Amino acid sequence: MIDNFLLFILFSAALLLILFLLSRKNKKENAMPDLPGVYISLLKNNVAFYNGLSEPAKINFEQRVQHFLSAVRITGVNTTVEDIDRVLIGASAIIPIFRFPDWEYINLHEILLYPETFTEQFEQSGNERNVLGMVGNGAMQHIMILSKYALREGFSNKTDKNNTAIHEFVHLIDKTDGEVDGVPEILLQHQYTLPWINMMHKNIQEIIKNGSDINAYGATNQAEFFAVVSEYFFERPDLLGKKHPELYHMLEQIFKQEKDVDNEA
Ligand SMILES: [Zn+2]
């Protein structure tokens, strides 16, 4: 009798333990809360890329922005970080790698938000303040600096081809293979590497010789060219497709943004 009772107690305890562990596992899997409603409204009102997605893809985009914002610290330096800044930073991070579902920015821990432009030495005063964004090196490894002014301007001006935050995230993606050289080896299938390098050289020469509607800063080097045309690609895809079809198709390959998969989550 006692043995049966003891067995019953042990059996119940084991059952409770299993149920407890299972519930914890479920909680863990669903740990990521939804993006707050106010953030979703800000995406709708400010991010054209998001508005161009299908409904399931929008939910996926929101979840990935939420995941990014929970993993990376955003710190204001002499400025406050508002909801709109967090949403635009999250969107800029996800837009270029949206077609890479498992992408994590392992090389980024913190973003410093400065009010306006700054110098290459991170000074916020003086006349040489021409930097809008920067991916840190050395002591600033794993840190990105963005100007709040440039971040907001990138999304509010719909007719230019500039978006500073996307530019900096593209540098970070480029850097994942160890080198910021305009060749994102992780995204680019091997057979496209040489054609891409040749295409970059051809276009850089064109900017230098004849001028181009591509921002002249792109002629600085391959890395800047890749970041500048990526801004153009995500800001004004139709115009880039019309004016530079070859470049457009190559960037479609790199970012897996082919039109026929646009409606997939
Ligand atoms: Zn750059």
Side-chain angles (χ1 to χ4, degrees):
M1 183 65 189
I2 287 170
D3 279 351
N4 277 349
F5 184 66
L6 200 64
L7 271 176
F8 175 71
I9 294 286
L10 280 172
F11 179 73
S12 304
L15 198 66
L16 279 174
L17 185 68
I18 288 167
L19 285 173
F20 173 67
L21 289 175
L22 277 176
S23 79
R24 263 173 56 115
K25 188 168 175 276
N26 278 339
K27 262 195 198 135
K28 231 180 182 174
E29 275 167 7
N30 298 327
M32 187 55 59
D34 289 341
L35 195 66
V38 59
Y39 282 25
I40 295 176
S41 308
L42 288 168
L43 279 176
K44 275 189 189 130
N45 294 333
N46 296 282
V47 181
F49 181 92
Y50 169 82
N51 286 321
L53 297 172
S54 67
E55 289 308 313
K58 276 182 185 157
I59 292 168
N60 182 240
F61 190 89
E62 291 161 16
Q63 286 168 341
R64 295 187 62 193
V65 167
Q66 174 74 352
H67 177 69
F68 176 84
L69 292 176
S70 66
V72 174
R73 192 168 50 232
I74 302 173
T75 308
V77 180
N78 296 330
T79 189
T80 49
V81 180
E82 293 171 46
D83 285 347
I84 180 72
D85 303 312
R86 295 177 61 77
V87 165
L88 296 184
I89 289 173
S92 310
I94 300 307
I95 287 170
I97 45 81
F98 186 55
R99 300 297 176 200
F100 300 82
D102 301 322
W103 186 277
E104 298 276 350
Y105 283 99
I106 46 169
N107 48 6
L108 180 66
H109 297 162
E110 184 172 21
I111 294 175
L112 302 180
L113 196 64
Y114 282 24
E116 300 205 27
T117 52
F118 47 92
T119 69
E120 298 218 3
Q121 285 72 44
F122 316 113
E123 284 157 8
Q124 296 182 55
S125 58
N127 293 328
E128 302 285 303
R129 295 177 300 136
N130 55 0
V131 182
L132 302 173
M134 185 183 276
V135 170
N137 277 312
M140 299 292 280
Q141 193 81 351
H142 304 306
I143 292 178
M144 177 187 287
I145 305 180
L146 287 173
S147 134
K148 183 168 164 172
Y149 169 79
L151 170 70
R152 293 184 180 192
E153 179 68 12
F155 285 91
S156 66
N157 189 332
K158 308 270 190 281
T159 54
D160 68 7
K161 303 149 191 160
N162 307 328
N163 187 307
T164 297
I166 289 180
H167 178 111
E168 297 308 325
F169 277 103
V170 168
H171 278 322
L172 209 57
I173 292 162
D174 188 358
K175 196 181 182 187
T176 310
D177 57 38
E179 270 182 294
V180 187
D181 56 0
V183 184
E185 279 160 49
I186 293 194
L187 308 191
L188 194 64
Q189 286 171 31
H190 190 64
Q191 74 265 31
Y192 295 120
T193 306
L194 208 55
W196 172 235
I197 292 174
N198 290 336
M199 201 179 283
M200 283 198 287
H201 287 177
K202 196 181 119 196
N203 280 278
I204 287 173
Q205 284 313 310
E206 215 165 277
I207 296 173
I208 294 170
K209 275 189 201 146
N210 309 321
S212 162
D213 71 318
I214 298 170
N215 185 340
Y217 188 62
T220 311
N221 54 43
Q222 285 184 189
E224 295 307 338
F225 180 80
F226 177 44
V228 161
V229 291
S230 299
E231 289 177 72
Y232 193 163
F233 179 73
F234 288 111
E235 284 282 292
R236 307 287 304 279
D238 295 340
L239 189 66
L240 183 70
K242 220 159 75 186
K243 296 218 170 191
H244 308 272
E246 275 191 340
L247 255 181
Y248 178 82
H249 288 304
M250 189 58 99
L251 290 166
E252 271 190 326
Q253 298 286 337
I254 292 176
F255 294 111
K256 291 205 194 330
Q257 294 279 340
E258 295 91 341
K259 277 272 181 279
D260 57 339
V261 297
D262 259 6
N263 285 325
E264 285 171 23

